Coordinates of all heavy atoms in Angstrom, one line a residue:
M1 N -52.3 -34.0 -22.0 CA -52.3 -34.5 -23.3 C -53.8 -34.9 -23.5 O -54.4 -35.5 -22.7 CB -51.4 -35.7 -23.5 CG -51.4 -36.4 -24.8 SD -50.0 -37.5 -24.9 CE -49.3 -36.9 -26.5
T2 N -54.3 -34.7 -24.8 CA -55.8 -35.1 -25.0 C -55.8 -36.2 -26.0 O -54.8 -36.7 -26.5 CB -56.4 -33.8 -25.8 OG1 -55.8 -33.7 -27.1 CG2 -56.3 -32.6 -25.0
N3 N -57.0 -36.9 -25.9 CA -57.1 -38.0 -26.8 C -57.8 -37.5 -28.2 O -58.2 -38.5 -29.0 CB -58.2 -39.0 -26.0 CG -57.5 -39.6 -25.0 OD1 -56.3 -39.7 -24.9 ND2 -58.5 -40.0 -23.9
K4 N -57.7 -36.3 -28.5 CA -58.4 -35.8 -29.8 C -57.3 -36.3 -30.9 O -56.1 -36.2 -30.7 CB -58.5 -34.5 -29.8 CG -59.6 -33.9 -28.9 CD -59.7 -32.4 -29.0 CE -60.9 -31.9 -28.1 NZ -61.0 -30.5 -28.1
P5 N -57.8 -36.7 -32.0 CA -56.9 -36.9 -33.2 C -56.3 -35.6 -33.6 O -56.8 -34.5 -33.4 CB -57.8 -37.5 -34.3 CG -59.2 -37.0 -33.9 CD -59.2 -36.9 -32.3
V6 N -55.0 -35.8 -34.1 CA -54.4 -34.6 -34.6 C -54.9 -34.1 -36.0 O -55.2 -35.0 -36.9 CB -52.8 -35.0 -34.8 CG1 -52.0 -33.9 -35.5 CG2 -52.3 -35.4 -33.5
D7 N -55.2 -32.9 -36.1 CA -55.7 -32.4 -37.5 C -54.6 -32.1 -38.3 O -53.8 -31.2 -38.1 CB -56.6 -31.1 -37.2 CG -57.2 -30.6 -38.4 OD1 -57.4 -31.4 -39.5 OD2 -57.6 -29.4 -38.5
Y8 N -54.3 -32.9 -39.3 CA -53.3 -33.0 -40.3 C -53.8 -32.8 -41.6 O -54.2 -33.6 -42.4 CB -52.3 -34.1 -40.1 CG -51.0 -34.0 -40.7 CD1 -50.1 -33.0 -40.2 CD2 -50.6 -34.8 -41.6 CE1 -48.9 -32.9 -40.7 CE2 -49.3 -34.7 -42.2 CZ -48.4 -33.7 -41.7 OH -47.3 -33.6 -42.2
P9 N -53.8 -31.5 -42.1 CA -54.4 -31.1 -43.4 C -53.7 -31.7 -44.7 O -54.3 -31.9 -45.7 CB -54.5 -29.7 -43.5 CG -53.5 -29.2 -42.5 CD -53.3 -30.2 -41.5
R10 N -52.4 -32.0 -44.5 CA -51.6 -32.6 -45.7 C -52.4 -33.8 -46.4 O -52.3 -33.7 -47.7 CB -50.3 -33.2 -45.2 CG -49.5 -33.7 -46.3 CD -48.1 -34.1 -45.8 NE -47.4 -32.8 -45.4 CZ -46.2 -32.4 -45.9 NH1 -45.5 -33.1 -46.7 NH2 -45.7 -31.3 -45.5
F11 N -53.0 -34.6 -45.8 CA -53.7 -35.7 -46.4 C -55.2 -35.5 -46.6 O -55.9 -36.4 -46.5 CB -53.3 -37.0 -45.8 CG -51.9 -37.1 -45.9 CD1 -51.0 -37.1 -44.8 CD2 -51.3 -37.4 -47.1 CE1 -49.7 -37.2 -45.0 CE2 -49.9 -37.5 -47.3 CZ -49.0 -37.4 -46.2
D12 N -55.7 -34.2 -46.2 CA -57.2 -34.1 -46.3 C -57.4 -33.3 -47.6 O -57.2 -32.2 -47.8 CB -57.4 -33.0 -45.0 CG -59.0 -32.7 -44.9 OD1 -59.8 -33.0 -45.9 OD2 -59.3 -32.1 -43.9
P13 N -58.3 -33.9 -48.4 CA -58.5 -33.5 -49.7 C -59.3 -32.1 -49.6 O -59.0 -31.1 -50.4 CB -59.4 -34.4 -50.5 CG -59.2 -35.7 -49.7 CD -58.8 -35.4 -48.3
Q14 N -60.2 -32.1 -48.7 CA -61.0 -30.7 -48.5 C -60.1 -29.6 -48.1 O -60.3 -28.5 -48.6 CB -62.1 -30.9 -47.4 CG -63.2 -29.9 -47.4 CD -63.9 -29.5 -48.7 OE1 -64.2 -30.5 -49.4 NE2 -64.1 -28.4 -49.0
A15 N -59.2 -29.8 -47.3 CA -58.2 -28.7 -46.7 C -57.3 -28.3 -47.9 O -57.1 -27.1 -48.1 CB -57.4 -29.3 -45.6
I16 N -56.9 -29.3 -48.8 CA -56.1 -29.0 -49.9 C -57.0 -28.1 -50.9 O -56.5 -27.1 -51.5 CB -55.6 -30.2 -50.6 CG1 -54.6 -30.9 -49.6 CG2 -54.9 -29.9 -51.9 CD1 -54.2 -32.3 -50.1
L17 N -58.2 -28.6 -51.2 CA -59.1 -27.9 -52.1 C -59.3 -26.4 -51.7 O -59.2 -25.5 -52.5 CB -60.4 -28.6 -52.2 CG -61.3 -28.2 -53.3 CD1 -60.6 -28.5 -54.7 CD2 -62.5 -28.9 -53.3
Q18 N -59.5 -26.1 -50.4 CA -59.8 -24.8 -49.9 C -58.5 -24.0 -50.0 O -58.7 -22.8 -50.2 CB -60.3 -24.9 -48.4 CG -61.7 -25.5 -48.3 CD -62.1 -25.7 -46.9 OE1 -61.3 -25.6 -46.0 NE2 -63.4 -25.9 -46.7
A19 N -57.4 -24.6 -49.8 CA -56.1 -23.8 -49.9 C -55.6 -23.4 -51.2 O -54.7 -22.5 -51.4 CB -55.0 -24.7 -49.1
L20 N -56.1 -24.2 -52.2 CA -55.7 -23.9 -53.6 C -56.4 -22.7 -54.2 O -57.5 -22.4 -53.8 CB -56.0 -25.1 -54.4 CG -55.1 -26.3 -54.4 CD1 -55.8 -27.5 -55.1 CD2 -53.8 -26.0 -54.8
P21 N -55.7 -21.9 -55.0 CA -56.4 -20.9 -55.8 C -57.6 -21.6 -56.6 O -57.4 -22.7 -57.2 CB -55.4 -20.3 -56.7 CG -54.1 -20.8 -56.1 CD -54.3 -22.1 -55.4
K22 N -58.6 -20.8 -56.8 CA -59.8 -21.3 -57.4 C -59.4 -21.8 -58.9 O -60.0 -22.9 -59.3 CB -60.9 -20.2 -57.6 CG -61.5 -19.9 -56.4 CD -62.6 -18.9 -56.4 CE -63.1 -18.6 -55.2 NZ -64.1 -17.5 -55.1
E23 N -58.5 -21.3 -59.6 CA -58.1 -21.7 -60.9 C -57.4 -23.1 -60.9 O -57.4 -23.7 -62.0 CB -57.4 -20.7 -61.8 CG -56.0 -20.4 -61.1 CD -56.0 -19.3 -60.2 OE1 -57.1 -18.7 -59.8 OE2 -54.9 -18.9 -59.6
R24 N -56.9 -23.4 -59.9 CA -56.2 -24.8 -59.8 C -57.0 -25.9 -59.2 O -56.7 -27.0 -59.3 CB -54.9 -24.7 -58.9 CG -54.0 -23.5 -59.2 CD -52.8 -23.8 -60.0 NE -52.0 -24.8 -59.3 CZ -51.5 -25.8 -60.1 NH1 -51.6 -25.9 -61.4 NH2 -50.7 -26.7 -59.4
R25 N -58.2 -25.6 -58.7 CA -59.0 -26.6 -58.1 C -59.6 -27.6 -59.1 O -59.6 -28.9 -58.8 CB -60.2 -26.0 -57.5 CG -59.8 -25.2 -56.2 CD -60.8 -24.5 -55.5 NE -60.3 -23.6 -54.3 CZ -61.1 -22.8 -53.7 NH1 -62.4 -22.6 -54.0 NH2 -60.6 -22.1 -52.8
P26 N -60.0 -27.3 -60.3 CA -60.5 -28.4 -61.3 C -59.4 -29.4 -61.6 O -59.6 -30.5 -61.7 CB -60.8 -27.6 -62.5 CG -61.2 -26.2 -62.0 CD -60.2 -25.9 -60.9
L27 N -58.1 -28.9 -61.6 CA -57.1 -29.8 -62.0 C -56.9 -30.9 -60.7 O -56.7 -32.1 -61.0 CB -55.8 -29.1 -62.5 CG -54.5 -30.0 -62.7 CD1 -54.9 -30.9 -63.9 CD2 -53.4 -29.1 -63.0
F28 N -56.8 -30.2 -59.7 CA -56.7 -31.1 -58.5 C -57.8 -32.1 -58.4 O -57.5 -33.3 -58.1 CB -56.7 -30.1 -57.3 CG -56.8 -31.1 -55.8 CD1 -55.8 -31.8 -55.5 CD2 -58.0 -31.0 -55.2 CE1 -56.0 -32.6 -54.3 CE2 -58.3 -31.8 -54.0 CZ -57.1 -32.6 -53.5
L29 N -59.0 -31.7 -58.5 CA -60.1 -32.7 -58.5 C -60.0 -33.6 -59.6 O -60.2 -34.9 -59.3 CB -61.5 -32.0 -58.6 CG -61.9 -31.0 -57.5 CD1 -63.2 -30.2 -57.7 CD2 -62.0 -31.8 -56.2
A30 N -59.7 -33.4 -60.7 CA -59.5 -34.5 -61.7 C -58.4 -35.5 -61.4 O -58.5 -36.7 -61.5 CB -59.2 -33.7 -63.1
E31 N -57.3 -34.9 -60.9 CA -56.2 -35.8 -60.5 C -56.6 -36.7 -59.3 O -56.0 -37.8 -59.2 CB -54.9 -35.0 -60.3 CG -54.2 -34.6 -61.6 CD -53.0 -33.8 -61.3 OE1 -52.3 -34.0 -60.3 OE2 -52.4 -33.1 -62.3
Y32 N -57.1 -36.0 -58.4 CA -57.6 -36.7 -57.2 C -58.6 -37.9 -57.6 O -58.4 -39.0 -57.0 CB -58.3 -35.7 -56.2 CG -58.9 -36.3 -55.0 CD1 -58.0 -36.8 -54.0 CD2 -60.3 -36.6 -54.9 CE1 -58.7 -37.4 -52.8 CE2 -60.8 -37.1 -53.7 CZ -60.0 -37.6 -52.7 OH -60.4 -38.2 -51.6
E33 N -59.6 -37.6 -58.4 CA -60.5 -38.7 -58.7 C -59.9 -39.8 -59.4 O -60.0 -41.0 -59.1 CB -61.6 -38.1 -59.6 CG -62.6 -37.3 -58.9 CD -63.6 -36.5 -59.7 OE1 -63.7 -36.8 -60.9 OE2 -64.3 -35.6 -59.2
E34 N -58.8 -39.5 -60.2 CA -58.0 -40.6 -60.8 C -57.2 -41.4 -59.8 O -57.2 -42.6 -60.0 CB -57.1 -39.9 -62.0 CG -56.4 -40.8 -62.8 CD -55.5 -40.2 -63.6 OE1 -55.9 -39.4 -64.4 OE2 -54.3 -40.6 -63.8
A35 N -56.6 -40.7 -59.0 CA -55.8 -41.3 -57.9 C -56.7 -42.3 -57.0 O -56.3 -43.2 -56.6 CB -55.0 -40.3 -57.1
V36 N -57.9 -41.7 -56.6 CA -58.6 -42.5 -55.8 C -59.2 -43.8 -56.5 O -59.1 -44.9 -56.0 CB -60.0 -41.6 -55.4 CG1 -61.0 -42.6 -54.9 CG2 -59.6 -40.6 -54.5
E37 N -59.5 -43.7 -57.8 CA -59.8 -45.0 -58.6 C -58.7 -45.9 -58.7 O -58.8 -47.0 -58.5 CB -60.3 -44.5 -60.0 CG -60.9 -45.6 -60.8 CD -62.1 -46.2 -60.2 OE1 -62.9 -45.4 -59.4 OE2 -62.3 -47.4 -60.2
A38 N -57.5 -45.5 -58.9 CA -56.3 -46.2 -59.0 C -56.0 -46.9 -57.6 O -55.4 -48.0 -57.6 CB -55.1 -45.5 -59.4
A39 N -56.3 -46.1 -56.6 CA -55.9 -46.6 -55.2 C -56.8 -47.8 -54.7 O -56.5 -48.5 -53.8 CB -56.1 -45.5 -54.1
R40 N -57.9 -48.1 -55.5 CA -58.6 -49.4 -55.2 C -57.8 -50.8 -55.4 O -58.0 -51.6 -54.8 CB -59.8 -49.4 -56.2 CG -60.9 -48.3 -55.9 CD -62.0 -48.4 -56.9 NE -62.9 -47.2 -56.8 CZ -63.9 -47.2 -56.0 NH1 -64.1 -48.1 -55.1 NH2 -64.6 -46.0 -56.0
K41 N -56.7 -50.5 -56.2 CA -55.7 -51.6 -56.4 C -54.6 -51.4 -55.4 O -54.0 -50.5 -55.3 CB -55.1 -51.5 -57.8 CG -56.2 -51.8 -58.8 CD -55.5 -51.6 -60.2 CE -56.7 -51.5 -61.3 NZ -56.2 -51.3 -62.5
P42 N -54.3 -52.5 -54.5 CA -53.4 -52.4 -53.5 C -52.0 -51.8 -54.0 O -51.4 -51.2 -53.3 CB -53.4 -53.8 -52.9 CG -54.6 -54.4 -53.2 CD -55.1 -53.8 -54.5
D43 N -51.6 -52.3 -55.1 CA -50.3 -51.8 -55.6 C -50.3 -50.5 -56.2 O -49.2 -50.0 -56.5 CB -49.7 -52.8 -56.6 CG -50.6 -52.8 -57.9 OD1 -51.8 -52.6 -57.9 OD2 -50.0 -53.1 -59.0
Q44 N -51.5 -49.8 -56.2 CA -51.5 -48.4 -56.6 C -51.9 -47.4 -55.5 O -52.1 -46.2 -55.8 CB -52.5 -48.3 -57.7 CG -52.1 -49.1 -59.0 CD -50.9 -48.4 -59.7 OE1 -50.7 -47.3 -59.9 NE2 -49.9 -49.3 -59.9
F45 N -52.0 -47.9 -54.3 CA -52.4 -47.1 -53.4 C -51.5 -45.9 -53.1 O -51.9 -44.8 -52.7 CB -52.7 -47.8 -51.9 CG -53.2 -47.0 -50.8 CD1 -54.4 -46.6 -50.8 CD2 -52.4 -46.5 -49.9 CE1 -55.0 -45.7 -49.7 CE2 -52.6 -45.6 -48.9 CZ -54.1 -45.4 -48.7
Y46 N -50.2 -46.0 -53.3 CA -49.3 -45.0 -53.0 C -49.5 -43.8 -53.9 O -49.1 -42.7 -53.5 CB -47.9 -45.6 -53.4 CG -47.6 -45.8 -54.8 CD1 -47.1 -44.8 -55.6 CD2 -48.0 -46.9 -55.5 CE1 -46.8 -45.0 -56.9 CE2 -47.8 -47.1 -56.8 CZ -47.2 -46.1 -57.6 OH -47.0 -46.3 -59.0
R47 N -50.2 -43.9 -55.1 CA -50.4 -42.8 -55.8 C -51.3 -41.7 -55.2 O -51.1 -40.5 -55.3 CB -51.1 -43.3 -57.3 CG -50.2 -44.0 -58.1 CD -50.9 -44.5 -59.4 NE -51.5 -43.4 -60.2 CZ -52.1 -43.6 -61.2 NH1 -52.5 -44.8 -61.6 NH2 -52.6 -42.5 -61.8
L48 N -52.2 -42.2 -54.5 CA -53.2 -41.2 -53.7 C -52.3 -40.4 -52.7 O -52.4 -39.3 -52.6 CB -54.3 -42.0 -52.9 CG -55.3 -41.2 -52.2 CD1 -55.8 -40.1 -53.1 CD2 -56.3 -42.0 -51.7
Y49 N -51.5 -41.2 -51.9 CA -50.7 -40.7 -51.0 C -49.8 -39.5 -51.5 O -49.6 -38.5 -51.1 CB -49.8 -41.7 -50.3 CG -48.8 -41.2 -49.3 CD1 -49.1 -40.9 -47.9 CD2 -47.5 -41.1 -49.7 CE1 -48.0 -40.3 -47.2 CE2 -46.4 -40.6 -48.8 CZ -46.7 -40.3 -47.6 OH -45.8 -39.8 -46.8
H50 N -49.0 -39.8 -52.6 CA -48.1 -39.0 -53.2 C -49.0 -37.8 -53.9 O -48.4 -36.7 -53.9 CB -47.4 -39.6 -54.3 CG -46.3 -40.5 -53.8 ND1 -45.2 -40.2 -53.1 CD2 -46.3 -41.9 -53.8 CE1 -44.6 -41.2 -52.7 NE2 -45.1 -42.2 -53.1
L51 N -50.0 -38.0 -54.4 CA -50.9 -36.9 -55.1 C -51.2 -35.9 -54.0 O -51.1 -34.7 -54.1 CB -52.2 -37.4 -55.8 CG -53.0 -36.4 -56.2 CD1 -52.9 -36.3 -57.7 CD2 -54.4 -36.5 -55.7
L52 N -51.7 -36.3 -52.8 CA -52.2 -35.6 -51.8 C -51.0 -34.7 -51.2 O -51.1 -33.5 -51.0 CB -52.9 -36.2 -50.7 CG -54.2 -36.8 -51.0 CD1 -54.8 -37.8 -49.9 CD2 -55.3 -35.7 -51.4
N53 N -49.9 -35.4 -51.1 CA -48.7 -34.7 -50.6 C -48.3 -33.6 -51.6 O -47.9 -32.6 -51.1 CB -47.5 -35.7 -50.2 CG -46.3 -35.0 -49.5 OD1 -46.5 -34.4 -48.6 ND2 -45.3 -35.3 -50.2
R54 N -48.2 -33.9 -52.8 CA -47.8 -33.0 -53.8 C -48.7 -31.8 -53.8 O -48.2 -30.7 -53.9 CB -47.6 -33.6 -55.2 CG -47.2 -32.7 -56.2 CD -47.0 -33.5 -57.6 NE -48.1 -34.2 -57.9 CZ -49.1 -34.0 -58.7 NH1 -49.1 -32.6 -59.2 NH2 -50.1 -34.7 -59.1
W55 N -50.0 -32.0 -53.9 CA -50.9 -30.9 -53.9 C -50.9 -30.1 -52.7 O -51.2 -28.9 -52.8 CB -52.3 -31.4 -54.2 CG -52.5 -31.6 -55.8 CD1 -52.4 -32.8 -56.5 CD2 -52.8 -30.6 -56.7 NE1 -52.6 -32.5 -57.8 CE2 -52.8 -31.2 -58.1 CE3 -53.0 -29.2 -56.6 CZ2 -53.1 -30.4 -59.1 CZ3 -53.3 -28.4 -57.8 CH2 -53.2 -29.1 -59.1
W56 N -50.7 -30.7 -51.7 CA -50.6 -29.9 -50.3 C -49.5 -29.0 -50.3 O -49.6 -27.8 -50.0 CB -50.5 -30.8 -49.0 CG -50.4 -30.0 -47.8 CD1 -49.2 -29.9 -47.1 CD2 -51.3 -29.1 -47.2 NE1 -49.3 -29.1 -46.0 CE2 -50.6 -28.5 -46.1 CE3 -52.6 -28.7 -47.6 CZ2 -51.2 -27.6 -45.3 CZ3 -53.2 -27.7 -46.7 CH2 -52.6 -27.2 -45.6
L57 N -48.3 -29.5 -50.8 CA -47.1 -28.6 -50.7 C -47.4 -27.5 -51.9 O -46.9 -26.4 -51.7 CB -45.9 -29.4 -51.2 CG -45.4 -30.5 -50.2 CD1 -44.3 -31.3 -50.8 CD2 -45.0 -29.7 -49.0
D58 N -48.1 -27.9 -52.9 CA -48.3 -26.8 -54.1 C -49.4 -25.7 -53.5 O -49.2 -24.5 -53.7 CB -49.1 -27.6 -55.2 CG -49.2 -26.6 -56.3 OD1 -48.2 -26.0 -56.7 OD2 -50.3 -26.5 -56.9
S59 N -50.3 -26.2 -52.6 CA -51.2 -25.2 -52.1 C -50.6 -24.3 -51.0 O -51.2 -23.2 -50.8 CB -52.5 -25.9 -51.5 OG -52.1 -26.6 -50.1
I60 N -49.6 -24.7 -50.4 CA -49.0 -23.8 -49.3 C -47.8 -23.0 -49.8 O -47.3 -22.2 -49.0 CB -48.7 -24.5 -48.1 CG1 -47.5 -25.6 -48.3 CG2 -49.8 -25.2 -47.4 CD1 -47.0 -26.4 -47.1
T61 N -47.3 -23.3 -51.1 CA -46.3 -22.6 -51.6 C -46.8 -21.5 -52.5 O -47.4 -21.8 -53.6 CB -45.4 -23.5 -52.4 OG1 -45.0 -24.5 -51.5 CG2 -44.1 -22.8 -52.9
P62 N -46.5 -20.3 -52.3 CA -47.0 -19.1 -53.2 C -46.4 -19.3 -54.6 O -45.2 -19.7 -54.7 CB -46.6 -17.8 -52.5 CG -46.3 -18.2 -51.2 CD -46.0 -19.7 -51.1
V63 N -47.2 -19.2 -55.6 CA -46.7 -19.1 -57.0 C -45.4 -18.2 -57.3 O -44.4 -18.7 -57.8 CB -47.7 -18.9 -58.0 CG1 -47.2 -18.9 -59.4 CG2 -48.9 -19.9 -57.8
E64 N -45.5 -17.1 -56.7 CA -44.4 -16.1 -56.9 C -43.6 -16.1 -55.6 O -43.0 -14.9 -55.3 CB -44.9 -14.9 -57.2 CG -45.7 -14.8 -58.6 CD -44.7 -15.0 -59.8 OE1 -43.4 -14.6 -59.7 OE2 -45.1 -15.7 -60.7
S65 N -43.2 -17.2 -55.1 CA -42.3 -17.2 -53.8 C -40.9 -16.9 -54.3 O -40.5 -17.1 -55.3 CB -42.4 -18.5 -53.1 OG -41.8 -19.5 -53.9
E66 N -40.1 -16.3 -53.3 CA -38.8 -16.2 -53.4 C -38.0 -17.5 -53.7 O -37.2 -17.5 -54.5 CB -38.1 -15.6 -52.1 CG -38.5 -14.1 -51.9 CD -38.0 -13.1 -53.0 OE1 -36.7 -13.4 -53.2 OE2 -38.5 -12.2 -53.5
F67 N -38.5 -18.5 -53.1 CA -37.9 -19.9 -53.3 C -38.0 -20.1 -54.8 O -37.1 -20.6 -55.4 CB -38.5 -20.9 -52.4 CG -38.0 -22.3 -52.6 CD1 -36.7 -22.6 -52.2 CD2 -38.7 -23.2 -53.3 CE1 -36.2 -23.9 -52.5 CE2 -38.2 -24.5 -53.5 CZ -37.0 -24.8 -53.1
G68 N -39.2 -20.2 -55.3 CA -39.6 -20.5 -56.8 C -38.7 -19.6 -57.7 O -38.1 -20.2 -58.7
R69 N -38.5 -18.3 -57.5 CA -37.8 -17.5 -58.4 C -36.3 -17.9 -58.3 O -35.7 -18.0 -59.3 CB -37.8 -16.1 -57.9 CG -39.1 -15.4 -58.6 CD -38.9 -13.9 -58.6 NE -38.9 -13.4 -57.2 CZ -40.0 -13.0 -56.5 NH1 -41.1 -13.1 -57.1 NH2 -39.8 -12.6 -55.3
H70 N -35.8 -18.2 -57.2 CA -34.2 -18.5 -57.1 C -33.9 -19.9 -57.6 O -32.8 -20.1 -58.0 CB -33.9 -18.3 -55.7 CG -33.8 -16.9 -55.1 ND1 -33.2 -15.9 -55.8 CD2 -34.6 -16.2 -54.2 CE1 -33.2 -14.9 -55.3 NE2 -34.1 -14.9 -54.2
Q71 N -34.9 -20.8 -57.5 CA -34.7 -22.1 -58.2 C -34.3 -22.0 -59.6 O -33.5 -22.7 -60.0 CB -35.9 -23.0 -58.0 CG -36.0 -23.8 -56.7 CD -37.1 -24.8 -56.8 OE1 -38.1 -24.5 -57.2 NE2 -36.8 -26.0 -56.3
A72 N -35.0 -21.1 -60.2 CA -34.8 -21.0 -61.8 C -33.4 -20.3 -62.1 O -33.1 -20.4 -63.2 CB -36.0 -20.4 -62.4
E73 N -32.9 -19.6 -61.2 CA -31.7 -18.8 -61.5 C -30.4 -19.7 -61.2 O -30.2 -20.1 -60.2 CB -31.6 -17.5 -60.6 CG -32.8 -16.7 -60.8 CD -32.8 -15.6 -59.9 OE1 -31.9 -15.4 -59.0 OE2 -33.8 -14.7 -59.9
P74 N -29.4 -19.9 -62.2 CA -28.3 -20.5 -61.9 C -27.4 -19.7 -61.0 O -27.4 -18.5 -60.9 CB -27.6 -20.6 -63.2 CG -28.3 -19.6 -64.1 CD -29.5 -19.3 -63.6
V75 N -26.7 -20.4 -60.1 CA -25.8 -19.8 -59.2 C -24.4 -19.8 -59.6 O -23.8 -20.9 -59.8 CB -25.9 -20.5 -57.9 CG1 -25.0 -19.8 -56.7 CG2 -27.3 -20.3 -57.4
A76 N -23.6 -18.8 -59.9 CA -22.2 -18.8 -60.3 C -21.3 -18.8 -59.1 O -21.5 -18.1 -58.1 CB -22.0 -17.6 -61.1
I77 N -20.4 -19.7 -59.1 CA -19.3 -19.7 -58.0 C -18.0 -19.3 -58.8 O -17.6 -20.0 -59.7 CB -19.3 -21.2 -57.6 CG1 -20.6 -21.6 -57.0 CG2 -18.2 -21.3 -56.6 CD1 -20.8 -23.1 -56.7
D78 N -17.3 -18.4 -58.1 CA -16.1 -17.8 -58.7 C -16.3 -17.5 -60.2 O -15.3 -17.8 -61.0 CB -15.0 -18.9 -58.5 CG -14.8 -19.1 -57.1 OD1 -14.9 -18.2 -56.2 OD2 -14.3 -20.3 -56.8
G79 N -17.3 -16.9 -60.5 CA -17.6 -16.6 -61.9 C -18.0 -17.7 -62.9 O -18.2 -17.5 -64.1
R80 N -18.2 -18.9 -62.3 CA -18.3 -20.1 -63.2 C -19.8 -20.7 -62.7 O -19.9 -20.6 -61.6 CB -17.3 -21.2 -63.2 CG -15.9 -20.7 -63.8 CD -14.9 -21.8 -63.6 NE -14.7 -21.9 -62.1 CZ -14.7 -23.2 -61.5 NH1 -14.8 -24.3 -62.2 NH2 -14.4 -23.3 -60.2
L81 N -20.4 -21.2 -63.6 CA -21.6 -22.1 -63.3 C -21.0 -23.4 -62.8 O -20.3 -24.0 -63.3 CB -22.6 -22.2 -64.3 CG -23.2 -20.8 -64.8 CD1 -24.0 -21.0 -66.1 CD2 -24.0 -20.2 -63.7
P82 N -21.7 -23.9 -61.7 CA -21.2 -25.2 -61.2 C -21.1 -26.4 -62.0 O -20.3 -27.3 -61.8 CB -22.0 -25.3 -59.9 CG -23.2 -24.5 -60.0 CD -22.7 -23.3 -60.8
W83 N -22.0 -26.4 -63.0 CA -22.1 -27.6 -63.8 C -21.3 -27.3 -65.2 O -21.4 -28.3 -66.0 CB -23.5 -28.0 -64.0 CG -24.4 -26.9 -64.8 CD1 -24.4 -26.5 -66.0 CD2 -25.1 -25.9 -64.1 NE1 -25.0 -25.5 -66.3 CE2 -25.6 -25.1 -65.1 CE3 -25.4 -25.5 -62.8 CZ2 -26.4 -23.9 -64.9 CZ3 -26.2 -24.5 -62.6 CH2 -26.7 -23.6 -63.6
C84 N -20.6 -26.3 -65.3 CA -19.9 -26.1 -66.6 C -18.6 -26.8 -66.6 O -17.9 -27.0 -65.6 CB -19.5 -24.6 -66.7 SG -21.0 -23.6 -67.2
D85 N -18.2 -27.4 -67.7 CA -16.9 -28.0 -68.1 C -16.0 -26.8 -68.1 O -16.2 -25.9 -69.0 CB -17.0 -28.8 -69.3 CG -15.7 -29.4 -69.7 OD1 -14.6 -28.7 -69.5 OD2 -15.7 -30.5 -70.1
E86 N -14.9 -26.9 -67.5 CA -14.0 -25.8 -67.5 C -13.4 -25.3 -68.8 O -13.2 -24.3 -69.2 CB -12.8 -25.9 -66.4 CG -13.2 -25.7 -65.1 CD -12.1 -26.0 -64.0 OE1 -10.9 -25.7 -64.4 OE2 -12.4 -26.3 -63.0
Q87 N -13.1 -26.4 -69.5 CA -12.5 -26.2 -71.0 C -13.5 -25.6 -71.9 O -13.3 -24.8 -72.7 CB -11.8 -27.5 -71.4 CG -10.8 -27.9 -70.6 CD -10.1 -29.1 -71.1 OE1 -10.7 -29.7 -72.0 NE2 -8.9 -29.5 -70.5
S88 N -14.7 -26.4 -72.0 CA -15.6 -26.0 -73.0 C -16.7 -24.8 -72.7 O -17.4 -24.1 -73.4 CB -16.6 -27.2 -73.4 OG -17.3 -27.5 -72.4
G89 N -16.7 -24.6 -71.2 CA -17.7 -23.5 -70.8 C -19.1 -24.0 -70.7 O -20.0 -23.3 -70.6
R90 N -19.3 -25.3 -71.0 CA -20.6 -26.0 -71.0 C -20.8 -26.8 -69.9 O -20.0 -27.5 -69.4 CB -21.0 -26.7 -72.4 CG -21.0 -25.8 -73.5 CD -21.4 -26.7 -74.7 NE -20.8 -26.0 -75.9 CZ -20.9 -26.5 -77.1 NH1 -21.5 -27.7 -77.2 NH2 -20.4 -25.9 -78.0

């Protein structure tokens, strides 16, 4: 076991920036700067943590992933959509 710190890019703004497509970087930077400013207040620090986590997940998930496509498609069970009322069909 080594004494080196673990390199964990999830909360590294530079790693997130490099992993994002170029067209998404300006939005990340704008949101990041806003979250950093808000994090100066102790009760708002969580915003920076959540922002970095959300953008990291966004940076490692391909836009056209199978997961993303299937999320938008309703799943029918026995020919019915699971959230439909049996009588009204809604």
Side-chain angles (χ1 to χ4, degrees):
M1 183 170 232
T2 67
N3 291 332
K4 291 182 181 179
V6 175
D7 183 21
Y8 197 57
R10 176 175 293 232
F11 302 109
D12 180 351
Q14 187 62 38
I16 294 169
L17 193 61
Q18 290 174 348
L20 284 171
K22 289 182 181 181
E23 63 273 2
R24 307 269 297 143
R25 293 175 184 174
L27 180 59
F28 167 72
L29 288 172
E31 289 185 14
Y32 174 72
E33 289 174 10
E34 183 180 316
V36 167
E37 189 61 35
R40 293 178 189 274
K41 300 175 185 166
D43 64 332
Q44 296 295 309
F45 181 77
Y46 72 93
R47 290 179 59 186
L48 181 57
Y49 171 82
H50 289 293
L51 175 110
L52 291 173
N53 187 51
R54 179 174 52 87
W55 276 99
W56 174 249
L57 293 173
D58 189 49
S59 74
I60 62 172
T61 305
V63 174
E64 293 297 321
S65 70
E66 287 294 316
F67 178 74
R69 273 199 297 273
H70 292 300
Q71 267 189 318
E73 299 172 5
V75 178
I77 301 172
D78 297 331
R80 296 177 295 130
L81 296 175
W83 57 85
C84 288
D85 180 322
E86 288 184 24
Q87 293 178 354
S88 69
R90 294 185 206 175

